[in-house]
Amino acid sequence: MTTTQSPAAPPASRETRDGKLSWWTQWTGPRTPARLRRVGVLLTLAGLITAVLSLIGGSSRAGAVTDAAGRDTTLTRHAGEIYQALAHADAMATSGYVSAGQEPAAIRTRYDADIANAGQRLAEASRQVAPDAPAAKPLDTLITGLPAYTGLVETARTYNRQGLPLGQSYLAQASQQMRTELLPAAEKFRRIEVDALNTDYRAASSLPIAVVVFGIALFLAALDFARRESWRTQRRFNLGVAGASALVVAGVLWWTLSTVAGESALADANRASDATTALDEARALVLQARSNESLVLVARSGGSASDSGFTEQLDRLTAEDGPLGVAEDSGADVDDIRAATTAWSEAHARLRRFDDSGDYQKAVRSAVGTDAGSSGAVFAVLDKTVSSAGTDARTRLADATSAADDATTLLAFGPAVLFTLAAAGFAIGVARRVEEYR
């Protein structure tokens, strides 16, 4: 009797081990669970990548706003105060000299306060500016040049108290140093810091395109996955994928709303910064015109040629593209400044008529007096008006920067956390679908 043996079972293929799919096939095979695993990995990785991009973009933007609200705004303020203090100190020095002999105590007090303020701001700025920073060079010029200037002014005062005309030479030399060395250095320092502040504003207001693109693409991919699964299985809802999609939308909306709010605040801050810079320049022009008015009297020239500096400064001040025009375009109210400038120009014209007609003492009284209509009194009104407008612009700048800082609160981490949770939601949601196939 012949027995028939059944054929031997084929060896286990690469796809199976003891009746089970191999690890490789579980992830790369054509079956639905393998496909779901691949989709889950892609959605999860996309969520994590979006979270990383959001963290980087949010940290960069928050850092720019912090710099704008902190160091750069502080240095810009210091630079503006140094610029104004030096110009005002020179105006006070020349005004005090016009009086001859002992200068008025109020003028000397204001001069000393200006020099002390400039010195304090220079010391504070020097601690914040790195030795190799662009602002270091003009700052060094100011630090080394200020003692030389004050020395010249003190020498001029000494000769003036003694009734010696030699003091005029020292005063003219001091004012020349102020106009050609110290004020240009202060202006350069101020411009550098303003540019740094504007750079922060641009960095803080830029929308991270990569985050938005990845976020939208991730949401669309999740919708496509849900649609396909609904068509394949007639199941319309996956809690994990739905929750993850909602988190992606929340993250993108957080970025969008924060950008809109922050950009509005930063735009206002940028305009306020422009207004502040323009008003600083406006006050410096007014103060330089005041110095010129006093220097002409000190020299007893009585000629209109030496008075051209006064006219030049006021023409620059009131030009259509001058600092008052820029400040007005940036939202500052300069009507009172224009009116006060016109009034001072008229008072100065009366002073010049006194001097040109030989009535020097009357011209001096107009320059240093406090009577209504005198050049000194009208100048004081103009100086106070410009200074007040600058203070208002700085307050507006601080408020706008604070609003921008509020708009970026938690921006560095908030959306990144949402995208990370979305990645986890995609992983969990897809894993649940894979489990249903076991």
Side-chain angles (χ1 to χ4, degrees):
M1 178 175 181
T2 304
T3 60
T4 305
Q5 293 184 348
S6 62
S13 69
R14 183 186 175 199
E15 294 186 358
T16 59
R17 293 291 185 271
D18 300 328
K20 296 182 179 179
L21 292 175
S22 68
W23 177 89
W24 177 258
T25 305
Q26 289 180 19
W27 286 92
T28 62
R31 298 184 180 184
T32 297
R35 179 183 59 80
L36 289 174
R37 289 188 181 95
R38 292 194 296 270
V39 171
V41 168
L42 290 176
L43 290 176
T44 302
L45 286 177
L48 292 176
I49 291 172
T50 307
V52 171
L53 292 174
S54 179
L55 180 63
I56 295 173
S59 299
S60 175
R61 180 167 178 169
V65 172
T66 300
D67 286 344
R71 176 187 176 278
D72 288 339
T73 297
T74 300
L75 281 174
T76 302
R77 185 178 68 251
H78 287 341
E81 290 179 357
I82 291 168
Y83 187 59
Q84 292 192 63
L86 292 177
H88 196 268
D90 194 54
M92 293 299 99
T94 54
S95 298
Y97 199 95
V98 169
S99 302
Q102 189 69 34
E103 65 183 326
I107 291 180
R108 177 59 190 256
T109 299
R110 294 189 68 184
Y111 168 85
D112 290 341
D114 288 330
I115 295 299
N117 184 33
Q120 181 180 356
R121 296 293 176 262
L122 284 172
E124 292 174 355
S126 64
R127 289 194 291 268
Q128 293 180 282
V129 175
D132 57 346
K137 187 174 181 179
L139 193 59
D140 289 341
T141 299
L142 291 167
I143 291 173
T144 57
L146 185 57
Y149 169 80
T150 56
L152 290 171
V153 171
E154 291 305 319
T155 302
R157 283 172 170 164
T158 300
Y159 284 118
N160 192 34
R161 285 193 295 268
Q162 296 173 1
L164 300 175
L166 186 59
Q168 298 176 17
S169 175
Y170 282 96
L171 182 65
Q173 186 178 349
S175 190
Q176 176 74 6
Q177 182 195 10
M178 178 63 73
R179 292 194 306 272
T180 62
E181 180 183 335
L182 296 182
L183 285 180
E187 169 65 7
K188 184 176 181 181
F189 175 41
R190 186 170 66 99
R191 288 293 176 185
I192 289 172
E193 294 307 327
V194 168
D195 289 344
L197 183 61
N198 290 336
T199 299
D200 285 336
Y201 289 151
R202 287 192 296 271
S205 61
S206 61
L207 178 66
I209 301 300
V211 176
V212 176
V213 170
F214 264 82
I216 294 176
L218 180 58
F219 176 70
L220 293 177
L223 284 183
D224 182 67
F225 169 74
R227 182 184 63 82
R228 290 175 180 273
E229 286 303 299
S230 175
W231 179 79
R232 289 173 182 273
T233 65
Q234 300 301 314
R235 298 185 61 177
R236 298 184 178 181
F237 190 75
N238 183 302
L239 182 60
V241 174
S245 301
L247 289 171
V248 171
V249 172
V252 173
L253 283 178
W254 190 329
W255 262 110
T256 303
L257 295 176
S258 176
T259 298
V260 171
E263 187 172 356
S264 175
L266 288 168
D268 192 28
N270 203 5
R271 283 166 50 83
S273 176
D274 291 342
T276 300
T277 301
L279 290 169
D280 284 347
E281 184 178 352
R283 191 175 185 218
L285 290 174
V286 169
L287 293 169
Q288 290 179 68
R290 175 64 170 175
S291 293
N292 180 266
E293 179 182 68
S294 300
L295 284 172
V296 171
L297 290 177
V298 168
R300 288 171 170 79
S301 65
S304 59
S306 297
D307 192 52
S308 61
F310 179 93
T311 304
E312 179 185 346
Q313 303 301 338
L314 290 196
D315 286 347
R316 289 174 57 193
L317 175 68
T318 56
E320 185 176 348
D321 59 347
L324 290 186
V326 173
E328 189 171 36
D329 291 341
S330 300
D333 184 359
V334 299
D335 290 343
D336 290 343
I337 298 176
R338 292 188 187 278
T341 301
T342 300
W344 188 37
S345 182
E346 294 171 353
H348 175 78
R350 291 192 294 270
L351 180 153
R352 292 307 318 145
R353 287 196 294 269
F354 293 146
D355 192 22
D356 293 344
S357 64
D359 196 345
Y360 178 73
Q361 293 302 322
K362 203 167 187 179
V364 170
R365 286 196 297 273
S366 177
V368 300
T370 57
D371 297 337
S374 67
S375 181
V378 179
F379 159 75
V381 171
L382 174 58
D383 183 42
K384 183 178 180 181
T385 303
V386 179
S387 178
S388 177
T391 300
D392 291 343
R394 283 187 171 82
T395 300
R396 176 182 154 202
L397 172 60
D399 292 343
T401 306
S402 177
D405 193 28
D406 291 340
T408 58
T409 300
L410 299 179
L411 185 61
F413 300 102
V417 170
L418 293 181
F419 291 131
T420 301
L421 292 176
F426 285 130
I428 294 172
V430 174
R432 291 282 181 91
R433 291 289 293 118
V434 172
E435 289 293 328
E436 293 174 1
Y437 283 87
R438 291 189 175 181

